Amino acid sequence: MTIPFRTNVQQMAGYAPGEQPQDTGWVKLNTNENPYPPSPKVVEAIQNAATGRLNVYPDPHASSFRKAAAKLFDVSPDWILPANGSDENLTILMRSFCDDNDVVAYPYPSYVLYETLAQIQRCTVTRLQLNDEFQWEASAAAAVRTSAKVVFVPNPNSPTGNRWSADQLAEIAPDRGILVLDEAYGDFADEPHRGQLLQDQRFAKRMIVTRTLSKSYSLAGLRFGFSIADPELTTGMQKVKDSYNCDTIAIAAATAAIEDQDWMMQNRDRIIASRNRLAGELATMGFNVHPSQTNFLWTTHPTSRHREIYEGLKARKVLVRFMQFDGPHRNIDGLRITIGTDDEIDRFLEATTEVLSQTA
Ligand SMILES: *Cc1c(COP(=O)(O)O)cnc(C)c1O
């Protein structure tokens, strides 16, 4: 007997997250986590919350967090909508704005979870193909602008690491829809964005910025993200979220994290310094390294033996992300390498030297 899944669920492959090995000893450079611990104030907030009132439901509005985030982005608290990780932001957006057969567009290569969420919602997906410089073509952008209900753009992008300007974003902001700026890596950008684009009249009431505490705030294990948008948008989106999507401990921790900007910025600066060092070393070893405004590097090797390099590194307990994107004109593959501590980068470099000498 067949199990009666919805047809689209039956047919979809589902999103494959990066490997999360549960044993120790790995140099883990595959899922863009922060190698440094969260602020000690976060740990203290978690301890206090744990000895507090866990028998009652959390604040459904996460008011303390909204207030702290609003201050940081210079908006009022009703512009902030907290979520259980930024992936939940994306789910809330999809449920709020996308009906059957609506067009959902996103640059390709980028974050393929958008496509999975669109499939669950029975939407039509348009991949906005990026060229060799990881830019979109004007004609394709115009087609997306007139047809899409929602356009998702990671800015800076993953896995390519580049960032689009306000003028470029205006080219693809849908005429009758919503532009979602997924700023998972926003804090690593050359000029960290603090929501300025939300005040740009070209995007008024049709842009939503999403953020996560997983990367720059070192809290991937906690699950906390938030959307920033005009209150007319957040009020509507509120209706489709779980009532208690963020728990008491996460709200306390996330509030403490976002209030400790010095801690986050210090780690951000260290990561950028390590990224610049790694980019130089990789280039010396013969890799092509794409300029990055994130906590990872997109690299290709002239031999194109990316899968072999990935496997060789994995055999040495160094995990990076091997990625493959198929396009109508060409297929792209390469390695996305998260910036770890300097010690981790040293171990990565040693292992890579060994692997290259064997695959040559
Ligand atoms: C990591 C990431 C997210 C998800 O963040 P979580 O808060 O951990 O769910 C969303 N978008 C992009 C582009 C990411 O890289």
Side-chain angles (χ1 to χ4, degrees), residues 278-287 301-302 348-354 356:
L278 178 61
E281 302 268 11
L282 283 168
T284 307
M285 295 166 92
F287 283 90
H301 193 266
F348 162 81
L349 288 169
E350 260 171 58
T352 304
T353 305
E354 270 179 41
L356 285 181

Side-chain angles (χ1 to χ4, degrees), residues 15-153:
Y15 181 73
E19 297 156 275
Q20 303 292 349
Q22 298 300 309
D23 53 333
T24 54
W26 288 88
V27 173
K28 195 172 173 311
L29 308 177
N30 67 331
T31 49
N32 296 344
E33 288 131 333
N34 197 307
Y36 302 112
S39 160
K41 292 177 185 159
V42 169
V43 179
E44 196 186 311
I46 290 173
Q47 282 162 346
N48 290 339
T51 51
R53 300 202 307 151
L54 288 181
N55 56 314
V56 298
Y57 282 109
D59 173 3
H61 304 296
S63 315
S64 65
F65 178 82
R66 289 178 107 166
K67 242 168 77 184
K71 207 169 137 201
L72 185 64
F73 286 87
D74 199 23
V75 290
S76 62
D78 51 3
W79 281 66
I80 308 289
L81 187 67
N84 182 23
S86 201
D87 286 348
E88 196 205 9
N89 283 326
L90 304 176
T91 299
I92 290 172
L93 288 166
M94 201 68 80
R95 284 196 203 164
S96 298
F97 297 106
C98 299
D99 265 322
D100 283 16
N101 304 319
D102 277 348
V103 172
V104 169
Y106 74 110
Y108 191 87
S110 79
Y111 192 37
V112 289
L113 179 68
Y114 307 130
E115 192 157 328
T116 309
L117 295 174
Q119 288 165 345
I120 296 172
Q121 201 72 3
R122 301 217 304 177
C123 295
T124 302
V125 176
T126 298
R127 294 176 175 178
L128 180 58
Q129 298 288 337
L130 303 180
N131 61 24
D132 289 340
E133 279 75 52
F134 297 134
Q135 301 298 324
W136 51 69
E137 307 294 349
S139 56
V144 159
R145 197 182 67 233
T146 52
S147 67
K149 187 72 185 294
V150 179
V151 178
F152 289 93
V153 180

Side-chain angles (χ1 to χ4, degrees), residues 85-87 111 114 154 182 184-185 212 214-215 223-224:
S86 201
D87 286 348
Y111 192 37
Y114 307 130
D182 181 346
Y185 304 101
T212 174
S214 295
K215 317 282 171 47
R223 313 307 302 137
F224 206 94

Side-chain angles (χ1 to χ4, degrees), residues 21-28 313-319 344 347:
Q22 298 300 309
D23 53 333
T24 54
W26 288 88
V27 173
K28 195 172 173 311
L313 289 172
K314 189 173 171 179
R316 290 164 177 79
K317 286 202 126 178
V318 175
L319 265 189
E344 288 174 322
R347 270 191 61 192

